[in-house]
Amino acid sequence: MSAKPKIAVHKFSSCDGCQLAFLNLGEDLLRLSELVDIVHFAEAGALAPEASVDIAFVEGSIATPEDLERIEAIRANAAYLITIGACATAGGLQALRNLADAPAWTADVYASPEHIASLDTSTPIAAHVKVDLELWGCPVNARQVLGAVRALLFDVPPVEEHDKVCLECKRRQGVCVLVARGEPCMGPVTRTGCGALCPLFGRDCYGCYGPAEQPNTPALARRFAGLGLVPEAVARRFLFINSGAPDFHDEGLKWREGEGS
Ligand code: SF4
Ligand code: SF4
């Protein structure tokens, strides 16, 4: 890593919410800009999409033919590539099209679908190029982004978080919404990093940080059914923001196709 590393923030198919994790740094963003050169970040004004950089942050999924070419060029120009958010790490909400007839959906939505240049699938960045670090979340938060940059500035590998939301919820002395209130909370299978935000506000987690390590999805899905959710509703708990993540995809599909029990 050079003395003042160059950073780029690139956008693919996404809502821009994860780029806001940078903008929401506020004063820390000014401090960060003293330590690194932010050479490309269209949402903040800096434009140099083809620049060679030390760290490329990538938001969004691969969803158009043009995306396929652009991600190759970004990878070739970056020493270290970090994906930010559910879109970039699992295909995002738009990966629901992978479970459907995408051309038929396009024809239903657009008056002139022949003008839409879109792939039939939405796929994560890692399906196309080597990714050095994945930051999960919808959106990621400023702590995750700063933590990764800080680690790289000190020449140490960033720490990946794999624990479950439940652990974070308990550490913060949250009341379990699944046990105490019978809510279909995804915390037992979802990766931590958000600070157990939803359960601490008394609502069930919907899995926006993607699968944790070794998630026991069959047991949790059966628990949801025991709470009274019909199979389609169980499937929807898993086939949502991270439907492209294999652990959630496989469990959700099982229940959608009537094979859950
Ligand atoms: S992961 Fe969520 S917040 Fe981030 S760009 Fe995708 S939809 Fe937006
Ligand atoms: S509790 Fe779950 S849904 Fe809420 S922010 Fe955290 S991971 Fe996302």
Side-chain angles (χ1 to χ4, degrees):
M1 194 86 30
S2 47
K4 195 169 188 196
K6 289 188 171 66
I7 284 186
V9 183
H10 295 278
K11 171 187 162 60
F12 283 79
S13 296
S14 59
C15 80
D16 287 27
C18 288
Q19 293 180 69
L20 284 177
F22 277 92
L23 297 178
N24 287 343
L25 288 173
E27 279 185 25
D28 284 343
L29 184 59
L30 296 178
R31 243 171 268 134
L32 183 66
S33 65
E34 289 167 8
L35 300 173
V36 301
D37 268 338
I38 301 176
V39 297
H40 174 73
F41 187 1
E43 191 155 316
L47 274 182
E50 283 154 21
S52 290
V53 294
D54 295 282
I55 310 171
F57 285 93
V58 177
E59 174 198 83
S61 67
I62 302 298
T64 69
E66 189 235 342
D67 289 347
L68 289 167
E69 290 174 24
R70 201 155 60 89
I71 192 60
E72 295 283 352
I74 289 169
R75 177 67 269 191
N77 287 336
Y80 201 89
L81 190 150
I82 302 177
T83 56
I84 50 173
C87 296
T89 49
L93 196 58
Q94 58 273 30
L96 287 171
R97 79 168 78 152
N98 304 357
L99 304 167
D101 180 345
W105 273 15
T106 308
D108 283 348
V109 171
Y110 296 99
S112 304
E114 66 275 16
H115 298 303
I116 304 297
S118 179
L119 298 172
D120 287 350
T121 56
S122 166
T123 43
I125 302 302
H128 303 275
V129 296
K130 177 174 175 274
V131 170
D132 299 299
L133 177 69
E134 294 179 324
L135 298 180
W136 292 75
C138 181
V140 294
N141 59 50
R143 183 190 60 76
Q144 291 169 282
V145 172
L146 266 189
V149 174
R150 191 171 50 223
L152 292 171
L153 283 174
F154 283 99
D155 248 349
V156 296
V159 176
E160 291 203 49
E161 294 175 290
H162 297 288
D163 277 355
K164 297 170 174 85
V165 167
C166 287
L167 291 180
E168 205 160 3
C169 186
K170 292 289 100 27
R171 282 187 207 116
R172 292 170 183 245
Q173 302 182 12
V175 173
C176 179
V177 297
L178 178 63
V179 172
R181 305 218 328 248
E183 302 281 352
C185 183
M186 290 284 285
V189 295
T190 299
R191 178 184 300 251
T192 189
C194 64
L197 193 60
C198 299
L200 293 182
F201 275 101
R203 59 156 296 170
D204 46 309
C205 166
Y206 51 91
C208 85
Y209 269 64
E213 65 179 354
Q214 299 181 332
N216 191 346
T217 52
L220 187 64
R222 281 196 300 275
R223 183 77 185 99
F224 289 168
L227 293 173
L229 269 64
V230 296
E232 178 64 21
V234 175
R236 281 171 186 255
R237 298 303 289 168
F238 293 93
L239 301 177
F240 189 36
I241 290 165
N242 284 295
S243 68
D247 286 310
F248 286 5
H249 173 271
D250 295 352
E251 193 61 39
L253 220 54
K254 201 167 81 185
W255 286 80
R256 199 177 80 156
E257 290 170 359
E259 291 164 13
S261 60

